[in-house]
Amino acid sequence: MKKGIKRMALGLALVMILGTTAFASEDLGALLREELSEEMKAKAMYEELSAQHPEIRSYQRLIRAEENHVNAVKQVLDSKGISYDDVVAGEYELPEDKLEQAQYAKEFEIDDVAELTERRDNTEDEQTKELLERLRRGSENHVKAMTRLEENLIAGKDPQQGGGQVGGRMNNQNSDMGGRMNGNGNGLRDGRGMGQGNMENGLRDPSRNDCPNLGAGGFQGFRK
């Protein structure tokens, strides 16, 4: 009789645990799919801004950065077996004035940092938490790039003046990290890059990049 009670209690405990896990998995999938939509929205926004202002190179660099963000989220979704074929970019509405557009983009990135921070802090899955932190750091640097652009437009300066370092480093790390994480050369993790980087949980230390770890090759460093 006692054995039967123990087995019944164990069975109920397993049901509760499995039920909680399934719910958490569904919740995590929704979070990642929503994040993918947000990154797709950012990419679409910078594509529109770049089409309107091809002379502002910061927008072109941010397109590439956001494309890397999109690929990073997709990679984590793939690793967890979560579908995303039906995910579409979120909606946005740009103002018409050039300065107001830069300010809109800056506020967009500020809001993104806040959202990513909240999602990171409320996520228990370590892989997702790491992804969100890397995206957050990237968005922080996008804020800096848009702040510089805003200041230059207000001052009537060349839009690129004073902003080349962020944009240039962002562009450089795209190819650098893509080479380090993928390819067939002499760099770290079978990449084409020649330098050495700090790797933690399969990812390079982001502190040296303006848009960290999001190279053209994606997040091959993520572990399932």
Side-chain angles (χ1 to χ4, degrees):
M1 182 68 176
K2 289 183 179 179
K3 288 184 179 179
I5 293 174
K6 286 182 179 179
R7 286 173 184 165
M8 185 179 295
L10 178 61
L12 288 172
L14 286 172
V15 169
M16 291 176 66
I17 292 171
L18 290 173
T20 302
T21 302
F23 177 79
S25 177
E26 291 174 4
D27 192 49
L28 182 63
L31 181 151
L32 286 168
R33 283 166 54 88
E34 184 178 352
E35 187 57 40
L36 177 60
S37 177
E38 286 296 305
E39 300 299 341
M40 291 169 66
K41 175 170 69 174
K43 179 174 177 286
M45 179 185 72
Y46 288 121
E47 286 174 338
E48 183 174 346
L49 287 168
S50 180
Q52 291 186 29
H53 309 289
E55 76 282 2
I56 300 180
R57 294 188 300 276
S58 295
Y59 291 145
Q60 298 167 22
R61 295 178 183 119
L62 285 167
I63 292 171
R64 292 191 289 272
E66 294 298 348
E67 184 174 3
N68 292 333
H69 289 199
V70 168
N71 290 336
V73 179
K74 285 182 177 180
Q75 215 167 349
V76 174
L77 284 163
D78 286 336
S79 76
K80 297 183 180 301
I82 301 171
S83 65
Y84 53 83
D85 291 342
D86 58 332
V87 176
V88 297
E91 297 181 354
Y92 63 91
E93 187 173 353
L94 286 173
E96 295 183 4
D97 179 74
K98 182 189 289 190
L99 173 59
E100 290 179 358
Q101 288 175 340
Q103 292 169 333
Y104 179 94
K106 183 182 77 170
E107 291 302 320
F108 178 95
E109 295 290 357
I110 290 172
D111 290 344
D112 194 42
V113 169
E115 282 187 5
L116 286 164
T117 301
E118 182 178 0
R119 289 174 180 174
R120 178 205 62 191
D121 292 346
N122 292 309
T123 300
E124 294 184 359
D125 180 75
E126 288 302 318
Q127 185 188 35
T128 302
K129 185 184 291 287
E130 187 174 10
L131 168 69
L132 295 172
E133 171 59 13
R134 303 309 168 102
L135 295 174
R136 186 189 68 81
R137 293 188 188 187
S139 292
E140 282 184 335
N141 288 290
H142 298 179
V143 173
K144 295 176 185 177
M146 289 300 94
T147 299
R148 290 189 179 112
L149 175 59
E150 176 191 23
E151 291 171 350
N152 287 339
L153 290 173
I154 290 174
K157 299 178 181 178
D158 182 332
Q160 300 309 315
Q161 186 173 340
Q165 187 177 19
V166 167
R169 285 205 308 240
M170 207 185 303
N171 189 31
N172 289 339
Q173 70 84 24
N174 280 347
S175 58
D176 177 45
M177 285 308 300
R180 290 175 189 274
M181 304 297 259
N182 291 291
N184 51 10
N186 298 318
L188 194 58
R189 296 192 70 85
D190 298 322
R192 292 186 296 273
M194 297 297 290
Q196 290 294 314
N198 246 338
M199 297 294 292
E200 181 180 356
N201 296 327
L203 292 174
R204 186 169 182 254
D205 181 353
S207 62
R208 295 173 58 193
N209 293 307
D210 283 60
C211 191
N213 302 310
L214 305 177
F219 267 163
Q220 292 298 326
F222 266 131
R223 296 176 180 175
K224 295 183 181 180

